[in-house]
Amino acid sequence: MSSRRKATVAAGITVMTSLGGCLDRLLDRSTGTDSGTVVQQREIVITYDDAVAARNDATTARDEGVTAFNEASYAAAIELIERALSDYRTANGGFTEAADLARDLSEDDATALCETAITETALQIDATEAALSAARAADEGADAETINGHIETFRTNRDEAAALTVEDTDAVASALGLEP
């Protein structure tokens, strides 16, 4: 096995061990046990955490796309914004799944946090679709009024999303009564 492959395998094992250690610390505060409910609660936390990661990746890609757009690199902007849109949709799906799982357990506080994240990412999707429309319009040589209309829609939806707070994973764990 090559040294690069060994390093990659070692890094993967380290990450999995660390994740396992973090998850082992998520215990039911009331009993200190790992009941079936706690296993389901952990699934909510993991699903939510994956969604947060996808959302963060989406925001980074979209910001890079907007920068490319501002530099008149429309093809690059389109590619980056398309990736952002895909990641926002993945995040929204993850938050929806986490909310459904929390709802199934009658975990109202965790459900509320997930629903806020669903609303926020739906607005980010709308904003990103508008940014993509602006980049495509610019790439196709559309008039300034058309491009600016898409940009204004992007800004409006982005600002509405910014008014909402997507809580971190620890807040969801805490709402579920788990110790992070």
Side-chain angles (χ1 to χ4, degrees), residues 56-157:
N56 292 344
D57 289 346
T59 301
T60 299
R62 190 183 65 201
D63 289 349
E64 291 171 358
V66 168
T67 298
F69 176 88
N70 290 336
E71 295 171 352
S73 298
Y74 303 125
I78 290 168
E79 181 179 329
L80 288 161
I81 295 169
E82 284 175 340
R83 186 174 73 208
L85 186 57
S86 176
D87 286 344
Y88 276 127
R89 287 180 175 146
T90 297
N92 191 269
F95 291 134
T96 299
E97 182 180 348
D100 290 344
L101 292 167
R103 201 173 292 109
D104 289 347
L105 292 177
S106 298
E107 293 285 357
D108 296 338
D109 292 342
T111 300
L113 294 174
C114 294
E115 287 174 347
T116 298
I118 292 166
T119 302
E120 193 271 352
T121 53
L123 287 165
Q124 295 289 14
I125 288 168
D126 292 345
T128 305
E129 287 173 341
L132 183 57
S133 293
R136 286 180 176 157
D139 190 49
E140 295 167 0
D143 61 84
E145 185 178 340
T146 300
I147 296 167
N148 288 336
H150 294 305
I151 292 170
E152 190 57 39
T153 301
F154 161 72
R155 288 179 179 152
T156 298
N157 287 310

Side-chain angles (χ1 to χ4, degrees), residues 15-93:
V15 167
M16 293 304 291
T17 303
S18 297
L19 180 59
C22 291
L23 294 178
D24 287 343
R25 291 193 311 265
L26 294 175
L27 295 176
D28 183 330
R29 287 184 186 159
S30 62
T31 65
T33 63
D34 190 10
S35 67
T37 300
V38 173
V39 170
Q40 292 171 315
Q41 290 170 326
R42 286 181 181 177
E43 185 177 350
I44 294 166
V45 171
I46 291 167
T47 302
Y48 186 91
D49 190 56
D50 289 345
V52 168
R55 179 188 167 278
N56 292 344
D57 289 346
T59 301
T60 299
R62 190 183 65 201
D63 289 349
E64 291 171 358
V66 168
T67 298
F69 176 88
N70 290 336
E71 295 171 352
S73 298
Y74 303 125
I78 290 168
E79 181 179 329
L80 288 161
I81 295 169
E82 284 175 340
R83 186 174 73 208
L85 186 57
S86 176
D87 286 344
Y88 276 127
R89 287 180 175 146
T90 297
N92 191 269

